[in-house]
Amino acid sequence: MTTIIWTIVTLAALGLVLSVVLFFVAKKFKVEEDPRIDEVEKVMPGANCGGCGFAGCRAFADSAVKASSLDGIFCPVGGNDVMKKVAGILGYELKEKAPEVAVLRCNGTCSARPRVNDYDGAASCRVKAALYSGDTLCAFGCLGCGDCVAACQFGAISMDPETGLPVVDEAKCTACGACAKACPRKLIEIRPKGPRSMRVYVACSNRDKGPAAKKACANACIGCGICAKTCTHGAVTVENNIAYIDPTKCKLCRECEAMCPTGAIHGLNFPKPLDKAAVKARIAERAKKAKEAANEQ
């Protein structure tokens, strides 16, 4: 009985001593957290999607408070409205960012890109891409399993059963980039929405040479360079047999779209359909005047 009592007393004393030691250690090494972190976190959307480049909204708030400015720090889900609140809390100046949206750089529909084999495996683009080049002759196009759909937390992407391609709902898209990260072929790009949501882009990522790309997909960019030669703003470049339109330089004239022989260049949300004949006539007239001017010199 005496042994039991002494054991209890010893353990109690040891526990008391350790608790006192822990108390003083905690006081000595206590880290004071800036209360503004909680304030910033409260105005965040709470999606914890990682679209800002941080692990979550708490990590974003912590980084924003510790930063000397908001340059390079932006919440795509909350957008400029949330960032204005963050800037107000921290007393920083905010440079508003143009709204962005996810864009699919593939137009290999079922009709344009016929299947050459049948896949009977896990319904995952990542798994499919690791196993082989895909169901069609195009080794660069959409694999159609919908990894991007599963990655989107906002219901902004769905698969079109007719085309076999994902469709982005601009009204729901927050440009968080989760779909872009989920695509193993890097076919989804986060681009500026453009004025009144109008934009022009190349809906293809096939880097094969012209004949091979055309054989794989009727809608493929063949790297002919006509679009680059047509553009007077320097917005179009061709590299690795694929054209790319720089959204910061594009003036939305749609001349490249009119001249593209395969229809790989898409213009979205324009109020009027593209009149290719009128655009080509304008380009021809401009070329004629340039030639006449050169002859006069």
Side-chain angles (χ1 to χ4, degrees):
M1 189 69 179
T2 304
T3 303
I4 295 174
I5 293 173
W6 276 109
T7 300
I8 294 172
V9 171
T10 302
L11 290 173
L14 183 62
L16 180 62
V17 171
L18 290 176
S19 63
V20 172
V21 171
L22 288 174
F23 172 77
F24 284 107
V25 170
K27 291 286 286 184
K28 182 175 180 61
F29 295 100
K30 182 181 179 182
V31 178
E32 294 290 343
E33 191 174 64
D34 195 319
R36 294 180 300 171
I37 295 177
D38 290 329
E39 294 181 45
V40 171
E41 187 182 16
K42 286 179 182 178
V43 302
M44 301 300 294
N48 293 308
C49 61
C52 57
F54 300 101
C57 293
R58 182 71 181 184
F60 174 95
D62 182 65
S63 298
V65 170
K66 292 178 179 177
S68 58
S69 71
L70 292 178
D71 292 344
I73 300 177
F74 191 83
C75 172
V77 177
N80 289 320
D81 291 338
V82 166
M83 292 308 299
K84 286 178 183 177
K85 295 178 183 177
V86 173
I89 294 170
L90 302 179
Y92 293 156
E93 183 180 352
L94 176 67
K95 296 178 181 178
E96 292 195 21
K97 190 175 181 181
E100 295 181 319
V101 69
V103 170
L104 177 68
R105 294 198 62 207
C106 177
N107 193 34
T109 61
C110 296
S111 58
R113 192 174 47 137
R115 291 177 180 270
V116 294
N117 59 71
D118 291 319
Y119 173 74
D120 187 20
S124 165
C125 296
R126 192 167 296 278
V127 173
K128 200 172 183 180
L131 294 176
Y132 75 134
S133 60
D135 303 330
T136 71
L137 293 176
C138 180
F140 302 91
C142 177
L143 292 164
C145 292
D147 284 17
C148 52
V149 177
C152 182
Q153 299 182 34
F154 307 98
I157 305 182
S158 59
M159 296 300 296
D160 187 329
E162 185 176 342
T163 64
L165 298 173
V167 178
V168 178
D169 185 337
E170 294 184 24
K172 296 180 180 179
C173 180
T174 62
C176 69
C179 55
K181 294 175 184 176
C183 180
R185 290 193 166 169
K186 309 302 179 186
L187 298 176
I188 299 179
E189 178 187 7
I190 305 300
R191 291 175 68 93
K193 274 190 175 182
R196 298 188 298 281
S197 293
M198 297 185 296
R199 56 191 175 278
V200 180
Y201 67 99
V202 180
C204 181
S205 300
N206 194 322
R207 295 186 293 277
D208 284 334
K209 291 185 178 180
K214 186 67 176 176
K215 182 180 179 181
C217 177
N219 297 333
C221 171
I222 56 177
C224 62
I226 293 175
C227 51
K229 294 174 184 176
T230 300
C231 182
T232 59
H233 312 292
V236 187
T237 55
V238 179
E239 188 176 347
N240 294 325
N241 304 311
I242 186 76
Y244 180 78
I245 299 175
D246 185 340
T248 64
K249 296 180 180 179
C250 180
K251 303 302 181 183
L252 304 177
C253 66
R254 304 183 77 181
E255 291 185 354
C256 57
E257 183 185 357
M259 296 300 292
C260 180
T262 64
I265 298 178
H266 289 195
L268 293 183
N269 302 321
F270 285 87
K272 296 181 180 179
L274 177 64
D275 187 341
K276 290 188 177 183
V279 174
K280 288 181 179 180
R282 183 174 72 220
I283 295 171
E285 182 63 24
R286 186 174 65 222
K288 180 182 177 181
K289 289 182 179 179
K291 187 176 181 180
E292 291 174 352
N295 291 334
E296 289 177 2
Q297 293 178 355

